[in-house]
Amino acid sequence: MATTTLIKGARSTRSTIALKLLMAASGIVFILFVLVHMYGNLKAFSGEMAYNEYAEHLRTFGEPYLPYGGLLWILRVVLLGSLIAHVGAAVALSMRAHAQRPVKYAVKKNKASSLSSRTMRWGGVSLLVFIIWHLLHFTIVKINVGTGGQAAEITENPYRLLVNSFLPEQWWMVAIYLFAMLALAFHLHHGTFSAIQTLGFTNTAESRARARVAGWVVAIVIAGGFSLVPLFTVFGVIS
């Protein structure tokens, strides 16, 4: 009986480690993607021509070996698979943690945990909702929030659609975007640290401190970079 229990426990431990590795790997995919995506967004500072050329280059990349838009479809498939893996692993790990501790603590032990770790779950949900809206807004439907219509001269022009979304009249769009970037910063901070920890690079106090710094660097660079475009647009620098 004890042997059976040990075997089940060992399998459960290996499964948990596999889920954490899956979360780390899919998280790294997302970090690399949002870093490149942020770089593309910053093309808006170079003007309409440079931004639209970059957007078109993403669709023609790899021709004739890839069809028009082939790279984007490859990215979409990889990102969708990573998203399913990331969310699925997170849900599975959360359910296991809850099953191991079905009764909540009388007093929450939050003193040792960071704000980013405590907001990881709801921050992830907020980001998922934002990603759905973001895809509808700029890719799938191309919603012109400025007029509420689908004017082709705006929706078919990536730069004009971007700028028109963050004009002063659309301050609420800027607020939504900045709130999402705050959630992204917290998620990236804790996620980067967790990925480094899962991969076994936090065995000492010094390495853990470096991992936390790395998390903040990734969070500030990416979330801060994304925030520049709506802020500089609403204040009229990008127009």
Side-chain angles (χ1 to χ4, degrees), residues 125-169:
V125 173
S126 300
L127 284 174
L128 183 59
V129 172
F130 173 75
I131 288 169
I132 294 171
W133 160 248
H134 187 67
L135 290 172
L136 291 172
H137 183 197
F138 286 114
T139 303
I140 299 173
V141 181
K142 297 181 181 178
I143 302 171
N144 177 17
V145 296
T147 64
Q150 294 289 322
E153 65 271 15
I154 293 177
T155 57
E156 297 306 317
N157 185 317
Y159 179 83
R160 292 191 65 186
L161 180 60
L162 177 74
V163 172
N164 201 56
S165 299
F166 300 123
L167 293 175
E169 306 89 82

Side-chain angles (χ1 to χ4, degrees), residues 77-148:
V77 171
V78 172
L79 290 172
L80 180 60
S82 298
L83 179 63
I84 293 172
H86 199 74
V87 174
V91 172
L93 288 169
S94 179
M95 290 176 65
R96 289 189 180 195
H98 181 74
Q100 292 173 0
R101 182 175 50 82
V103 179
K104 293 184 178 180
Y105 292 126
V107 178
K108 290 187 175 181
K109 307 295 184 180
N110 285 340
K111 292 183 179 180
S113 61
S114 65
L115 178 62
S116 56
S117 65
R118 296 197 299 272
T119 58
M120 199 68 173
R121 183 179 301 175
W122 293 112
V125 173
S126 300
L127 284 174
L128 183 59
V129 172
F130 173 75
I131 288 169
I132 294 171
W133 160 248
H134 187 67
L135 290 172
L136 291 172
H137 183 197
F138 286 114
T139 303
I140 299 173
V141 181
K142 297 181 181 178
I143 302 171
N144 177 17
V145 296
T147 64

Side-chain angles (χ1 to χ4, degrees), residues 19-231:
L19 287 170
K20 289 183 176 181
L21 286 171
L22 184 61
M23 278 201 74
S26 56
I28 291 171
V29 170
F30 283 120
I31 289 173
L32 293 175
F33 170 75
V34 292
L35 185 62
V36 174
H37 187 26
M38 180 210 68
Y39 165 79
N41 267 24
L42 294 180
K43 287 283 186 179
F45 285 96
S46 299
E48 182 174 355
M49 184 177 294
Y51 187 84
N52 286 348
E53 283 180 353
Y54 173 79
E56 182 63 18
H57 178 67
L58 292 177
R59 289 164 173 78
T60 59
F61 183 87
E63 289 185 337
Y65 301 103
L66 290 176
Y68 181 81
L71 174 65
L72 292 179
W73 278 108
I74 292 172
L75 287 174
R76 287 164 185 160
V77 171
V78 172
L79 290 172
L80 180 60
S82 298
L83 179 63
I84 293 172
H86 199 74
V87 174
V91 172
L93 288 169
S94 179
M95 290 176 65
R96 289 189 180 195
H98 181 74
Q100 292 173 0
R101 182 175 50 82
V103 179
K104 293 184 178 180
Y105 292 126
V107 178
K108 290 187 175 181
K109 307 295 184 180
N110 285 340
K111 292 183 179 180
S113 61
S114 65
L115 178 62
S116 56
S117 65
R118 296 197 299 272
T119 58
M120 199 68 173
R121 183 179 301 175
W122 293 112
V125 173
S126 300
L127 284 174
L128 183 59
V129 172
F130 173 75
I131 288 169
I132 294 171
W133 160 248
H134 187 67
L135 290 172
L136 291 172
H137 183 197
F138 286 114
T139 303
I140 299 173
V141 181
K142 297 181 181 178
I143 302 171
N144 177 17
V145 296
T147 64
Q150 294 289 322
E153 65 271 15
I154 293 177
T155 57
E156 297 306 317
N157 185 317
Y159 179 83
R160 292 191 65 186
L161 180 60
L162 177 74
V163 172
N164 201 56
S165 299
F166 300 123
L167 293 175
E169 306 89 82
Q170 277 73 254
W171 60 267
W172 51 275
M173 274 294 298
V174 178
I176 290 173
Y177 200 92
L178 293 180
F179 175 79
M181 291 307 100
L182 181 62
L184 178 63
F186 284 132
H187 207 78
L188 285 173
H189 170 245
H190 184 69
T192 300
F193 175 82
S194 296
I196 295 173
Q197 186 178 52
T198 299
L199 295 175
F201 297 119
T202 56
N203 297 323
T204 65
E206 292 79 7
S207 61
R208 286 192 292 273
R210 287 195 295 269
R212 290 189 182 92
V213 171
W216 280 123
V217 169
V218 170
I220 293 171
V221 168
I222 294 178
F226 273 122
S227 301
L228 291 177
V229 173
L231 285 173

